[in-house]
Amino acid sequence: MRLNKVYHRLTLLSLTPSSPPPPPPPLTSSLSRFSSARTPGHLRIHHFKRFKSISTMTSRLPNLVPLNSTAAENVGGRSHGSVSSASTEDEEALAGKYQLPPPEIKDIVDAPPLPALSFSPQRDKILFLKRRSLPPLAELARPEEKLAGMRIDGKFNTRSRMSFYTGIGIHQLMPDGVLGPEREIYGYPDGAKINFVSWSLDGRHLAFSIRGDDEDNSSSKLRVWVANVETGKAQPLFQSPNVYLNAIFDNYVWVDNTSLLVCAIPSSRGDPPKKPLVPSGPKIQTNEQKDVIQVRTFQDLLKDEYDEDLFDYYATSQLVLASLDGTTKEIGHPAVYTSLDPSPDHKYLLVSSIHRPYSFIVPCGRFPKKVEVWTTDGKFVREVCDLPLAEDIPIAFSSVRKGMRSINWRADKPSTLYWAETQDGGDAKVEVSPRDIIYMQPAEPLEGEQPEILHKLDLRYGGISWCDDSLALVYESWYKTRRTRTWVISPGSKDVSPRILFDRSSEDVYSDPGSPMLRRTPDGTYVIAKIKKENDEGTYVLLNGSGATPEGNVPFLDLFDINAGSKERIWESDKERYYETVVALMSDYEEGDLLLNQLKLLISKESKTENTQYSIHKWPEKKVCQITNFPHPYPQLASLQKEMIKYQRKDGVQLTATLYLPPGYDPSKDGPLPCLVWSYPGEFKSKDAAGQVRGSPNEFAGIGPTSALLWLARRFAILSGPTIPIIGEGDEEANDRYVEQLVASAEAAVEEVIRRGVAHPSRIAVGGHSYGAFMTANLLAHAPHLFCCGIARSGAYNRTLTPFGFQNEDRTLWEAMTTYVEMSPFMSANKIKKPILLIHGEEDNNSGTLTMQSDRFFNALKGHGALSRLVILPFESHGYAARESIMHVLWETDRWLQKHCVTNSSGESAELEACKDEVGKGITDSDNQAVVGSGGGGPEVADFEHEGFYSLPRSLL
């Protein structure tokens, strides 16, 4: 999982939105011994008391003061947050109850979210989709079935943990760019949870699903509603109250302006299958054919025949064609339909489904898959393919499934299919030319008509942007070399040879020419927008690019002559103060080429301290009309300081990071601050690419619910996203020097913040989520001189538990055993002496990051006397969602930072060690105690901490 920057609380949806986005991601199988009951707050608390109580020791050593003493001043003379008394804090830590972070953090997280936006197909109306704040833990605690790599809420018959909208408002976008008054969609039950909002093709109606809160009756299942956009009135699509949406896979699609095809729960479905009390036999898997099958550590897989039956029960749908006039018709037979795709002319349906035999070692995406063409009224036309079970896809990157894949309709034709077929058996390690062939064929080919070869590729096929018979762009890439190529082809002209338009490294962001802007057709598809200039017969397209430069991203829009290769920059972001990006074409609702002097664009604009707003830009005068005026989501940090900094690693690789400082902070007057470094490593094939600058110094500082930037409110310096490139040039594997390059990158970052005078050398903490947690543990093991403590969330620490690859490593444990072992902080648990806080969701379903990883790592740390703490969050997955969980994570993190970063000099400084020696004389093993308890209302916590912590007098700092 890559480190994600949360741009702002507004989420701009695609032009045909479905369900609302999940809560912003962090900066970033349950344990059987912890989960004897599925009730919030089942606890196992371990606390190992190494030293005597603080009151005893402070009486013997007057120069040490308790944490709540006013003498515990902070470096720089400013308060970095209040610290409760040690006794109160320890009681809270042991109690295992959910806690709240300090108000300055809590208030930011609890700020009401801004709405999501969606534009109508004609670009004349905007939906404001209302959202709520963080969900309560009770929603995550709902029963769920873990089947075939998915988690299913059986009561709703949807994927579990699904977020929702609370209301829909419509604004007219006036010709002058001003928004009209809001009109609320009404008519549905109060308190309904809204999902899958979708415009009809003509923009006159909205379809959406609703569900209620009453779990004792059928109102908890999803029903499809339709609203008239002009009046705002909504009503159920189906007159019968007993037709419910099955949203496990696809949900519904507009077939035309007045009809929808809905995946419904079969009316004949009874109760779920019951798990037999006594199994019919043992669970058996066999490989007597000696097949080579290597798979990554997938979770939530099917386990037995009962799971297979349960999967079929929830995933099987009956397709129902429903008209807005109330008429309905069942089409096809009940099956596990995974996608429904009408052809651009709305005469055909491309219907995909999965079927048995299922697998116990791979998720449902690799189950046998059938693709068929039907007419829109449900008549079977032909079978396109029936792919077998794909358990044997090699783990090497760029490996794919055998047979036909990426089957789609051509966006520029009424009903033409295209797809790719591998020529290497799907195995990236097989050398062959061509590697992929792209075919196309009409929906109803003539008898004996064979698929037409469109193009042959030597790299792996990556998709097509269609325009018309004279122009399409084909993409191919190869992960191992990072090579990416773009081809220009003429699909309707066999006498025109394909040619390479761009051939570059995907890592080289400075050479990225941008992507072609797409326009919406009247049929609802998207094709490359052709641009016409006055008195010019050239073929032009718009290339929308991020504009990476050594000074940061400066997004641009180029008018590109596809034949001559020349380009003209017609728009560029203001690089002095603002960060602007082109979001969408707003003048694309009419047929034909777009005139340059009539161009209309939706552009976002933000700065370091101003959150994102949206405006319409009109050519030729480039008139700007702002259409949103969202309030600042956290005004208390509106004047934070942000700077993109550059520095070098000792091997000469240029590194970058974003340095955030609290509002009003002046290093010359206030001195150095405690500092939190939050990062995530990345792999590269070249030093030059690794040293390139990514991001903009003018981007708005988006703060998610678990963002490290929250500690700006506690007067920390935050070094966000310092680049940690792990480079493997040529035939060298990057991870073979992982630890060496990791430490070198961290050393360079720490040296830079100290050189700038913003971070105290002994008050620098490090943290990360997922692979960033893995990084954190490795840094505490191999670079203990750099950091005073660490925070590791949802990480994997023992790579022998992911033997068939992890992250971007595609060698197996047996092919690279030394690398696997040396990279695993679990194997270096005996070296970790600095305090480390481990946090993990009890229901983590991310590949490789099983909750067991943190549990076993904590036991290894405890076995070597490391100062450590493990917090297991009930019901949480890889990213944390519930308000109670998130608030507690922030409380734990703040507590850890106050104890080990703010208050202590370094965690294990020479002065503090001398003090410990003074007070620790005579303490023997008989003084050690183990406390085990259980209670309700909080996360599971395991502690292995020194009970006494001290703040050194300023004379010792």
Side-chain angles (χ1 to χ4, degrees):
M1 177 179 179
R2 290 286 179 191
L3 180 66
N4 289 292
K5 176 186 180 297
V6 182
Y7 283 87
H8 41 73
R9 289 179 181 273
L10 165 72
T11 299
L12 186 71
L13 294 187
S14 64
L15 298 175
T16 53
S18 54
S19 61
L27 285 175
T28 101
S29 64
S30 61
L31 298 174
S32 58
R33 71 181 186 86
F34 277 154
S35 55
S36 58
R38 190 173 172 82
T39 55
H42 175 73
L43 306 180
R44 278 179 71 101
I45 302 174
H46 298 271
H47 191 84
F48 192 90
K49 188 164 74 172
R50 172 154 300 183
F51 296 115
K52 292 185 180 293
S53 69
I54 191 166
S55 59
T56 302
M57 288 186 285
T58 53
S59 66
R60 294 175 59 185
L61 187 61
N63 287 334
L64 288 178
V65 291
L67 291 184
N68 63 328
S69 169
T70 56
E73 298 182 58
N74 297 289
V75 175
R78 285 180 178 260
S79 169
H80 300 288
S82 61
V83 182
S84 62
S85 69
S87 59
T88 301
E89 195 168 82
D90 287 341
E91 288 173 4
E92 291 175 338
L94 281 171
K97 303 289 186 180
Y98 284 104
Q99 304 290 341
L100 294 175
E104 54 264 47
I105 290 178
K106 172 182 171 295
D107 291 347
I108 295 174
V109 177
D110 272 341
L114 297 175
L117 302 186
S118 173
F119 286 83
S120 67
Q122 288 70 33
R123 310 295 193 264
D124 60 345
K125 296 178 180 67
I126 307 178
L127 295 185
F128 278 54
L129 303 169
K130 316 297 176 61
R131 300 186 290 177
R132 61 167 184 180
S133 297
L134 298 172
L137 186 63
E139 290 192 10
L140 271 65
R142 291 175 52 85
E144 61 183 2
E145 303 291 346
K146 301 174 181 178
L147 300 169
M150 300 186 300
R151 293 184 174 180
I152 295 173
D153 187 317
K155 194 70 177 179
F156 293 153
N157 219 103
T158 66
R159 303 289 181 97
S160 63
R161 305 164 187 242
M162 193 166 67
S163 57
F164 56 89
Y165 301 118
T166 58
I168 305 174
I170 303 177
H171 290 266
Q172 187 78 26
L173 184 59
M174 303 301 183
D176 60 359
V178 176
L179 289 185
E182 182 173 271
R183 180 170 59 253
E184 284 277 354
I185 298 295
Y186 69 95
Y188 55 84
D190 291 341
K193 300 175 180 178
I194 301 170
N195 288 97
F196 310 122
V197 182
S198 175
W199 291 93
S200 64
L201 300 177
D202 59 6
R204 297 176 60 188
H205 292 88
L206 290 174
F208 54 93
S209 72
I210 68 167
R211 67 185 193 270
D213 280 322
D214 189 352
E215 299 187 18
D216 295 329
N217 58 45
S218 58
S219 69
S220 61
K221 288 188 173 63
L222 278 68
R223 300 186 64 195
V224 182
W225 283 57
V226 176
N228 184 298
V229 171
E230 290 303 320
T231 66
K233 181 174 175 54
Q235 62 185 25
L237 174 65
F238 296 100
Q239 295 179 357
S240 169
N242 299 317
V243 181
Y244 302 110
L245 184 66
N246 188 338
I248 300 300
F249 289 106
D250 213 343
N251 41 77
Y252 55 80
V253 293
W254 286 94
V255 175
D256 54 39
N257 289 324
T258 60
S259 301
L260 294 101
L261 184 61
V262 179
C263 292
I265 296 174
S267 58
S268 60
R269 190 179 80 172
D271 294 331
K274 294 186 180 298
K275 188 176 182 67
L277 295 177
V278 179
S280 59
K283 300 176 182 179
I284 298 173
Q285 298 185 55
T286 182
N287 191 33
E288 295 178 49
Q289 297 80 18
K290 298 183 179 180
D291 295 327
V292 176
I293 297 177
Q294 300 177 348
V295 295
R296 293 215 173 188
T297 2
F298 299 119
Q299 300 194 50
D300 299 338
L301 302 176
L302 300 177
K303 299 179 292 298
D304 50 32
E305 292 181 3
Y306 166 73
D307 275 1
E308 292 180 307
D309 293 341
L310 200 60
F311 175 76
D312 277 337
Y313 175 84
Y314 287 117
T316 297
S317 296
Q318 171 64 61
L319 300 185
V320 181
L321 189 62
S323 176
L324 298 185
D325 63 11
T327 59
T328 63
K329 174 187 176 182
E330 291 187 352
I331 63 174
H333 299 289
V336 182
Y337 296 107
T338 57
S339 69
L340 312 171
D341 189 11
S343 61
D345 62 3
H346 311 295
K347 293 181 179 180
Y348 300 96
L349 294 170
L350 188 64
V351 180
S352 299
S353 60
I354 56 178
H355 59 82
R356 298 193 184 212
Y358 298 148
S359 170
F360 298 152
I361 64 172
V362 294
C364 58
R366 297 191 182 186
F367 288 178
K369 177 182 179 180
K370 183 181 293 186
V371 181
E372 298 172 332
V373 174
W374 299 359
T375 62
T376 49
D377 60 358
K379 293 179 182 178
F380 175 82
V381 175
R382 68 183 178 105
E383 181 182 284
V384 178
C385 66
D386 190 354
L387 303 175
L389 179 65
E391 291 183 328
D392 59 347
I393 298 177
I395 63 172
F397 287 101
S398 300
S399 294
V400 295
R401 189 172 193 159
K402 299 174 186 175
M404 299 172 67
R405 70 183 197 280
S406 303
I407 307 168
N408 292 292
W409 297 109
R410 271 187 63 169
D412 62 325
K413 288 291 184 180
S415 52
T416 299
L417 292 171
Y418 71 99
W419 66 89
E421 289 190 38
T422 179
Q423 306 300 299
D424 57 11
D427 189 348
K429 293 184 177 180
V430 173
E431 295 296 334
V432 65
S433 178
R435 192 173 289 277
D436 273 339
I437 298 179
I438 307 168
Y439 297 91
M440 62 181 183
Q441 190 176 43
E444 290 192 74
L446 300 175
E447 185 175 352
E449 182 180 0
Q450 296 300 309
E452 176 186 347
I453 294 178
L454 180 65
H455 193 43
K456 297 180 180 181
L457 301 169
D458 284 336
L459 307 182
R460 189 63 77 203
Y461 168 72
I464 300 180
S465 293
W466 297 96
C467 183
D468 52 31
D469 271 340
S470 67
L471 174 64
L473 300 181
V474 181
Y475 309 100
E476 64 173 339
S477 63
W478 197 249
Y479 175 78
K480 205 69 176 177
T481 60
R482 309 300 199 271
R483 189 179 186 185
T484 179
R485 294 195 295 197
T486 302
W487 292 81
V488 178
I489 63 172
S490 297
S493 303
K494 294 183 179 180
D495 56 339
V496 178
S497 299
R499 61 186 175 87
I500 293 177
L501 184 64
F502 304 121
D503 188 350
R504 48 182 291 273
S505 168
S506 60
E507 291 183 340
D508 182 10
V509 293
Y510 292 169
S511 70
D512 187 351
S515 301
M517 294 209 70
L518 305 181
R519 55 165 294 170
R520 191 181 192 276
T521 69
D523 294 324
T525 62
Y526 286 85
V527 299
I528 296 173
K530 272 189 176 180
I531 307 297
K532 290 184 66 175
K533 296 174 67 175
E534 289 188 17
N535 305 316
D536 192 329
E537 297 300 321
T539 301
Y540 295 94
V541 299
L542 294 172
L543 293 181
N544 185 10
S546 59
T549 73
E551 287 70 45
N553 288 1
V554 183
F556 64 83
L557 193 65
D558 281 349
L559 187 66
F560 183 71
D561 188 325
I562 203 77
N563 295 317
S566 59
K567 58 186 177 182
E568 173 191 352
R569 187 141 300 177
I570 63 172
W571 176 88
E572 188 174 70
S573 172
D574 175 357
K575 55 188 171 185
E576 297 304 321
R577 180 181 173 189
Y578 290 102
Y579 177 73
E580 301 168 291
T581 59
V582 176
V583 179
L585 279 171
M586 298 293 286
S587 52
D588 64 347
Y589 49 85
E590 296 179 359
E591 291 193 69
D593 295 347
L594 304 181
L595 297 177
L596 180 61
N597 62 5
Q598 295 179 9
L599 202 60
K600 189 188 298 184
L601 300 172
L602 178 68
I603 291 181
S604 67
K605 183 177 182 178
E606 61 194 87
S607 73
K608 297 177 184 180
T609 57
E610 299 170 78
N611 53 308
T612 305
Q613 306 293 350
Y614 295 91
S615 57
I616 303 292
H617 291 225
K618 299 179 181 179
W619 265 249
E621 69 276 8
K622 299 184 181 179
K623 179 182 176 182
V624 177
C625 182
Q626 185 171 317
I627 62 173
T628 63
N629 188 25
F630 296 115
H632 198 292
Y634 20 89
Q636 58 271 58
L637 292 179
S639 58
L640 62 79
Q641 303 172 58
K642 175 186 177 183
E643 181 184 0
M644 183 175 284
I645 63 174
K646 302 177 185 178
Y647 49 97
Q648 272 198 348
R649 202 163 75 176
K650 61 184 179 183
D651 60 359
V653 176
Q654 178 177 289
L655 305 177
T656 60
T658 305
L659 177 63
Y660 293 90
L661 299 171
Y665 169 72
D666 184 342
S668 63
K669 296 179 181 178
D670 302 328
L673 297 171
C675 178
L676 175 58
V677 178
W678 199 272
S679 192
Y680 194 101
E683 293 81 10
F684 291 88
K685 289 302 294 181
S686 78
K687 291 182 178 180
D688 290 340
Q692 291 182 354
V693 177
R694 292 162 173 82
S696 167
N698 295 324
E699 287 178 276
F700 179 65
I703 302 179
T706 55
S707 168
L709 300 188
L710 289 165
W711 274 269
L712 289 169
R714 300 285 276 167
R715 300 204 61 79
F716 270 69
I718 307 297
L719 192 67
S720 178
T723 48
I724 313 264
I726 311 299
I727 304 166
E729 294 189 307
D731 294 331
E732 180 188 20
E733 294 287 348
N735 284 337
D736 287 348
R737 293 196 302 119
Y738 173 85
V739 172
E740 172 192 338
Q741 297 188 67
L742 175 70
V743 172
S745 298
E747 285 177 338
V750 168
E751 289 170 3
E752 180 64 17
V753 291
I754 293 173
R755 184 191 68 80
R756 288 171 170 263
V758 298
H760 193 285
S762 60
R763 284 182 165 87
I764 302 176
V766 63
H769 184 91
S770 195
Y771 207 51
F774 177 75
M775 168 205 76
T776 297
N778 265 309
L779 286 173
L780 293 187
H782 302 292
H785 59 291
L786 297 178
F787 303 104
C788 61
C789 65
I791 298 132
R793 301 176 184 166
S794 299
Y797 309 102
N798 183 352
R799 286 304 169 193
T800 68
L801 297 178
T802 55
F804 290 108
F806 58 90
Q807 201 69 9
N808 291 319
E809 177 59 69
D810 61 1
R811 295 172 296 174
T812 70
L813 168 66
W814 298 273
E815 293 172 322
M817 185 168 292
T818 300
T819 297
Y820 271 65
V821 172
E822 289 181 351
M823 286 184 69
S824 297
F826 179 86
M827 302 301 180
S828 300
N830 60 314
K831 298 179 181 179
I832 295 179
K833 307 301 180 185
K834 295 296 178 67
I836 182 169
L837 171 63
L838 304 175
I839 302 175
H840 217 120
E842 187 179 29
E843 305 291 339
D844 193 330
N845 63 342
N846 184 55
S847 177
T849 57
L850 294 79
T851 311
M852 175 182 64
Q853 288 271 8
S854 286
D855 181 52
R856 292 188 176 180
F857 186 42
F858 174 72
N859 287 334
L861 293 167
K862 186 169 60 175
H864 290 89
L867 197 163
S868 51
R869 180 175 173 88
L870 170 64
V871 179
I872 301 295
L873 302 170
F875 309 118
E876 293 291 352
S877 186
H878 190 60
Y880 317 138
R883 182 179 184 275
E884 294 91 330
S885 303
I886 287 173
M887 291 298 182
H888 190 86
V889 166
L890 300 176
W891 177 83
E892 291 279 0
T893 305
D894 190 68
R895 171 183 177 271
W896 204 252
L897 292 174
Q898 296 299 328
K899 266 192 168 185
H900 306 298
C901 188
V902 172
T903 310
N904 281 349
S905 176
S906 66
E908 288 192 356
S909 69
E911 295 89 347
L912 186 55
E913 280 303 302
C915 296
K916 290 179 180 179
D917 290 341
E918 177 72 22
V919 300
K921 292 176 181 177
I923 295 179
T924 65
D925 288 341
S926 63
D927 293 294
N928 296 338
Q929 301 176 14
V931 181
V932 180
S934 63
E940 295 159 351
V941 179
D943 248 333
F944 190 73
E945 298 189 45
H946 303 155
E947 186 169 318
F949 292 92
Y950 319 103
S951 172
L952 292 174
R954 288 183 59 81
S955 60
L956 293 180
L957 298 178

